[in-house]
Amino acid sequence: MQTHYWNLQTDTDGAALREAAALIKKGEAVAFPTETVYGLGADGLNGAAVRKIFEAKGRPSDNPLILHIAAKKDILKLTSGLTKQAEILIDKFWPGPLTVIVAKSSIVPDEVSAGLDTVAVRMPSHPVAAEMIRLAGTPIAAPSANISGKPSPTDAETVLADMQGRIAGIVDGGVCEVGVESTIVDTTGEVPVILRPGGITREQLEAVLGNVELDPALAGVEAAKPKAPGMKYRHYAPKASMYVVEGEALKKLPLLAKEAAKFAPVAVICGGEVAESMQRTQNLHILNWGSGKTDLAVKLYRMLRRCDKLGVELIFSEGVTEDGIGLAVMNRMRKAAGRQVLTSDEIEALLKNSSQLKSFVLK
């Protein structure tokens, strides 16, 4: 399949988005930027078109999709009714990086909802995404525009690497601003539940809703039938084995990384303070995200992709506190690592036994 590529920096008359939207109308899949990550979109009311998303990504069919709309009123035809919680969230946070789970209407295909009686809907704030949806004249179903399981793309170059020849087109609208996917909130129960943390923080939600619960899947209890994207399968994963290092264990990370790099190429994803405490060697790659969790959110997926390009055997990543955007970042980081976390005692044991450390690095 030929994949059309439109760079909006050189598009002076809006022809690119019109052509991309025309492909959506014809039932094709097209990647486009949102404020969170790049989405892989198709006509959300056309089951055959939606199936092309699953085929291009290699995505399990029981993993539901999000419908993207251009105006708040557009959700009304997609649902059999909104709860008061949903109305509050829509009024406060749309357009923006928030997805609401609502009872679905009969026009939503099972391919979108994975056979559930609910559907996920959001209204992106990115002007390119909003105009694409408006021109297509239909809700656009769109997960992240990557091969299923790999880190999500925040720039068009990454989309091209994964999707060239698999989809009809890619709209290059520059680098995404938020860097992690939207927050997903189930509004169908008595108490709103965060199914996936993201660009809207728990604190922001609680400020307008009061009590907000976290789904047990966020603590590692795998969902039998996921109600939203990202709940069941391993996501955001680099090729190399990855471990998260948090709290007191961070003091031992510089020495662990230095010793591990004696056996194979190693990458460390960390903030400025940890990065400054480490010495670069031939086999040790220090990927510094900067000074705050917002910087980490924007750069995490690109750093994971960078690790793939470097061909490292092992990745250590500095954990952060879960307040604010930290909840979303740690959710992604732990999933990327397959929930592998190194404790201070475990690091100490590895440092005391060179052969054990070598086996750990090369396994």
Side-chain angles (χ1 to χ4, degrees), residues 287-307:
L287 307 184
N288 182 353
W289 73 64
S291 60
K293 287 178 281 191
T294 300
D295 290 338
L296 174 56
V298 172
K299 297 175 183 177
L300 177 60
Y301 291 148
R302 276 183 280 168
M303 287 182 165
L304 293 175
R305 293 267 182 169
R306 176 65 177 156
C307 290

Side-chain angles (χ1 to χ4, degrees), residues 331-351:
N331 169 260
R332 307 311 194 273
M333 192 181 290
R334 290 185 181 120
K335 274 189 167 286
R339 298 196 174 277
Q340 297 183 121
V341 178
L342 280 177
T343 66
S344 184
D345 288 344
E346 289 170 334
I347 294 175
E348 188 66 33
L350 289 171
L351 290 173

Side-chain angles (χ1 to χ4, degrees), residues 196-235:
R196 182 181 74 186
I200 300 297
T201 68
R202 183 180 189 178
E203 292 85 347
Q204 288 176 292
L205 296 171
E206 289 178 335
V208 297
L209 292 177
N211 183 37
V212 177
E213 296 180 352
L214 296 177
D215 190 275
L218 298 178
V221 179
E222 196 161 281
K225 191 169 180 61
K227 293 188 72 173
M231 294 188 68
K232 183 176 180 182
Y233 300 96
R234 189 183 180 199
H235 288 265

Side-chain angles (χ1 to χ4, degrees), residues 12-57:
T12 57
D13 60 0
L17 285 187
R18 291 194 296 272
E19 291 172 13
L23 286 174
I24 295 285
K25 289 181 179 181
K26 291 179 180 178
E28 298 295 341
V30 175
F32 61 96
T34 77
E35 71 275 23
T36 56
V37 300
Y38 270 72
L40 178 54
D43 182 347
L45 303 183
N46 179 341
V50 171
R51 286 194 292 273
K52 292 182 180 180
I53 294 174
F54 288 91
E55 292 165 5
K57 285 177 62 71

Side-chain angles (χ1 to χ4, degrees), residues 42-333:
D43 182 347
L45 303 183
N46 179 341
V50 171
R51 286 194 292 273
K52 292 182 180 180
I53 294 174
F54 288 91
E55 292 165 5
K57 285 177 62 71
R59 181 185 178 95
S61 60
D62 68 341
N63 200 0
L65 303 178
I66 296 171
L67 288 179
H68 294 66
I69 57 177
K72 292 180 181 180
K73 63 180 176 59
D74 293 344
I75 194 175
L76 299 178
K77 65 181 180 181
L78 304 174
T79 180
S80 59
L82 295 173
T83 62
K84 184 62 176 178
Q85 300 162 354
E87 291 175 348
I88 291 171
L89 293 177
I90 289 167
D91 181 64
K92 177 67 176 179
F93 296 111
W94 279 11
L98 178 75
T99 295
V100 293
I101 300 289
V102 298
K104 76 171 184 177
S105 71
S106 60
I107 70 169
V108 177
D110 283 345
E111 287 87 351
V112 169
S113 63
L116 297 170
D117 58 5
T118 57
V119 63
V121 186
R122 94 172 182 97
M123 180 183 172
S125 61
H126 196 292
V128 172
E131 182 65 2
M132 271 275 293
I133 301 164
R134 188 189 70 79
L135 289 170
T138 185
I140 293 181
S144 54
N146 56 287
I147 299 296
S148 190
K150 295 179 69 173
S152 302
T154 56
D155 58 69
E157 180 183 356
T158 303
V159 178
L160 188 64
D162 274 13
M163 290 293 155
Q164 188 168 25
R166 290 173 173 262
I167 60 176
I170 299 170
V171 177
D172 184 349
V175 177
C176 300
E177 180 181 349
V178 178
V180 292
E181 294 85 352
S182 63
T183 303
I184 301 178
V185 180
D186 186 353
T187 66
T188 61
E190 290 186 12
V191 178
V193 179
I194 297 175
L195 303 184
R196 182 181 74 186
I200 300 297
T201 68
R202 183 180 189 178
E203 292 85 347
Q204 288 176 292
L205 296 171
E206 289 178 335
V208 297
L209 292 177
N211 183 37
V212 177
E213 296 180 352
L214 296 177
D215 190 275
L218 298 178
V221 179
E222 196 161 281
K225 191 169 180 61
K227 293 188 72 173
M231 294 188 68
K232 183 176 180 182
Y233 300 96
R234 189 183 180 199
H235 288 265
Y236 327 115
K239 294 176 182 177
S241 295
M242 177 173 166
Y243 291 83
V244 179
V245 182
E246 306 174 60
E248 285 296 309
L250 283 171
K251 295 178 181 178
K252 300 174 182 177
L253 178 56
L255 180 57
L256 174 64
K258 177 183 175 183
E259 294 301 312
K262 292 178 180 179
F263 304 110
V266 171
V268 180
I269 297 173
C270 56
E273 186 174 341
V274 173
E276 289 171 6
S277 69
M278 305 184 74
Q279 287 186 329
R280 296 180 185 274
T281 64
Q282 184 176 357
N283 263 357
L284 180 58
H285 303 276
I286 302 170
L287 307 184
N288 182 353
W289 73 64
S291 60
K293 287 178 281 191
T294 300
D295 290 338
L296 174 56
V298 172
K299 297 175 183 177
L300 177 60
Y301 291 148
R302 276 183 280 168
M303 287 182 165
L304 293 175
R305 293 267 182 169
R306 176 65 177 156
C307 290
D308 287 351
K309 290 181 179 179
L310 290 170
V312 299
E313 291 286 335
L314 186 63
I315 303 167
F316 298 116
S317 187
E318 175 189 354
V320 297
T321 59
E322 294 189 356
D323 54 307
I325 196 69
L327 181 64
V329 169
M330 290 307 297
N331 169 260
R332 307 311 194 273
M333 192 181 290

